[in-house]
Amino acid sequence: MHVVITGASRGIGAALAGLYRAEGHTVTGTSRSGAGGLIAADLSDMAGIAALAAAVEDRPVDLLICNAGLYLDRDEALDTGYPAAMWAEQFTLNVTAPFLCTQALLPNLRAARGKLAIISSQMGSSTQATGTALIYRSSKAAVLNLGLNLSAALKPDGIAVGIYHPGWVRTDMGGAGADISTDEAASGLAARFAGLDLASTGAFQTWDGRDHPI
């Protein structure tokens, strides 16, 4: 199986890459720096998208995991924070990049009748509107909606799409006090990806297999 993972240099992405490699699968991963054998691809611009497509070439892709993301507005104040540039930066990587990566690798996904996994967050659910982290929550709601629409658009091609909350994970983004390790998150997510098919396409699930309200 050929697995493509964006944001594979650390956190959940690195754990997923390690898991799939340990199982004998071929992994193509991206990072901004390209260190550690990853593809150097800044997915916030078209050059990075092109670099990813060029690295994959015409190889079929069995699973594309759109994992790369930003969380910059954790401590922004409603009255004075949330600058326009921060909105643009987070939406570019959290929403636009998953679409452009999917678009760029669509021939590869079609060749394998592959699967698309989009890492969103429960913070994008309408049930989690707490009035904080407005940009991050909005971007994760948007990429959830993108995944739902892609599931309809890609179903005729035989490509199943799943959207996932990875859990509250002990990463740079999640913090040291989070609930689960990156290995736990990766193992749970990999099980969800394995079970994804056209009958379940468009599902929004947690890392441990629960359906999450949209």
Side-chain angles (χ1 to χ4, degrees):
M1 185 166 72
H2 181 200
V3 183
V4 175
I5 306 171
T6 67
S9 63
R10 58 183 181 174
I12 298 167
L16 283 166
L19 183 153
Y20 283 116
R21 288 193 183 102
E23 292 179 350
H25 301 296
T26 299
V27 175
T28 301
T30 75
S31 72
R32 290 192 175 188
S33 70
L38 300 174
I39 306 304
D42 181 352
L43 302 180
S44 64
D45 63 45
M46 290 306 300
I49 304 295
L52 172 58
V56 174
E57 298 180 313
D58 60 354
R59 290 177 291 161
V61 172
D62 298 283
L63 175 61
L64 169 59
I65 305 171
C66 293
N67 166 74
L70 282 175
Y71 184 6
L72 302 176
D73 59 320
R74 188 189 310 270
D75 300 314
E76 291 296 299
L78 181 60
D79 291 347
T80 58
Y82 300 107
M86 187 180 289
W87 282 89
E89 186 176 5
Q90 283 193 96
F91 264 76
T92 296
L93 192 60
N94 292 0
V95 186
T96 307
F99 171 74
L100 292 177
C101 288
T102 301
Q103 185 180 57
L105 298 182
L106 195 50
N108 312 81
L109 287 164
R110 284 176 172 151
R113 292 177 67 89
K115 303 178 186 183
L116 170 62
I118 294 176
I119 305 301
S120 179
S121 169
Q122 68 178 7
M123 291 174 71
S125 168
S126 60
T127 65
Q128 299 287 325
T130 66
T132 60
L134 301 181
I135 306 174
Y136 184 78
R137 290 179 188 277
S138 297
S139 70
K140 288 302 184 180
V143 82
L144 168 56
N145 186 270
L146 173 65
L148 295 173
N149 278 281
L150 284 175
S151 72
L154 295 175
K155 191 171 185 178
D157 291 310
I159 298 169
V161 180
I163 310 101
Y164 302 95
H165 166 57
W168 186 20
V169 188
R170 292 189 289 275
T171 62
D172 292 343
M173 185 181 293
D179 291 336
I180 61 174
S181 69
T182 54
D183 287 341
E184 289 174 295
S187 178
L189 287 169
R192 307 287 79 74
F193 305 158
L196 176 63
D197 58 20
L198 290 178
S200 60
T201 191
F204 180 35
Q205 291 188 322
T206 64
W207 68 280
D208 54 355
R210 293 173 287 119
D211 290 331
H212 198 291
I214 293 171

